[in-house]
Amino acid sequence: MKLRTDVLPAEQVYTILANERRRHALEHLGSVGGVVTVHELSALVAGRETGESPPPKRCRESVYTSLVQTHLPKLEELGVIEYDRESQTIEMSRHARDVALYTEVVASVGVTWSELYRALGVASLTVLLAALLGVPLVSAVDPVLLTSLGLALFAAASAYQLWINRFSVLRQLRGGRSGIAGLRRR
């Protein structure tokens, strides 16, 4: 496995995330996991902003204009998306993961993945040490079983994280080049 040396600097990621409309656009692009038209994306973002489905036409048009004139060119310039102006399609690109690392949370409990894994590690180690040191009740359970349970929790959390990020993972496995990039090569 090769380490990436072209990670987006934190300052650029913060600039991207500073705008609510860009955050909504990236969130929707990430959840779709494929190619999206600018019209589809503007409707999704406008719906999120207004809370209406379908959103009012004026709001969709406003979102569309700002996406086309400002946000999509900026995201394309930074390598976060691939934007084909001719077909009006957008797809997440190689730097999308760099931005997602700053926004990933386990939605149902509101903690980041690193916090979840850290808590699992500390809890597993604490329970294992308690069993090895003879703490009542905990020491009655075989340490191998406790270790296996801890590893099973890590595996379950990892599988869940892979599942919710499956589109990004598949894109990375395919080499990060598909959809729009394939169209450009033709």
Side-chain angles (χ1 to χ4, degrees), residues 64-172:
Y64 177 88
T65 301
S66 72
L67 286 175
V68 169
Q69 291 180 354
T70 306
H71 305 301
L72 297 179
K74 173 101 174 152
L75 294 171
E76 182 183 38
E77 174 189 325
L78 295 171
V80 176
I81 64 166
E82 292 182 28
Y83 174 39
D84 187 331
R85 286 167 178 77
E86 288 179 30
S87 65
Q88 291 283 293
T89 54
I90 313 151
E91 183 177 28
M92 298 294 267
S93 190
R94 62 191 172 95
H95 284 303
R97 189 174 190 286
D98 300 343
V99 176
L101 291 174
Y102 286 78
T103 61
E104 276 189 5
V105 294
V106 181
S108 59
V109 285
V111 298
T112 65
W113 286 107
S114 61
E115 291 169 335
L116 174 68
Y117 289 122
R118 192 176 311 119
L120 279 174
V122 168
S124 298
L125 183 60
T126 303
V127 170
L128 181 60
L129 287 173
L132 293 173
L133 293 173
V135 173
L137 294 176
V138 180
S139 62
V141 181
D142 183 15
V144 173
L145 177 61
L146 292 173
T147 303
S148 298
L149 288 173
L151 290 172
L153 287 172
F154 271 100
S158 296
Y160 177 70
Q161 184 179 13
L162 280 173
W163 175 253
I164 64 170
N165 293 320
R166 64 191 174 276
F167 298 119
S168 175
V169 171
L170 288 173
R171 194 176 308 106
Q172 291 292 325

Side-chain angles (χ1 to χ4, degrees), residues 16-65:
I16 291 168
L17 297 175
N19 184 279
E20 184 178 28
R21 194 163 277 174
R22 273 197 296 265
R23 287 193 310 270
H24 292 317
L26 288 173
E27 180 182 312
H28 287 298
L29 284 169
S31 68
V32 170
V35 177
V36 178
T37 68
V38 178
H39 288 288
E40 291 168 339
L41 183 61
S42 60
L44 290 169
V45 171
R48 172 81 181 265
E49 290 179 4
T50 63
E52 298 178 38
S53 181
K57 183 178 179 182
R58 291 186 79 182
C59 184
R60 282 193 320 264
E61 290 171 349
S62 170
V63 170
Y64 177 88
T65 301

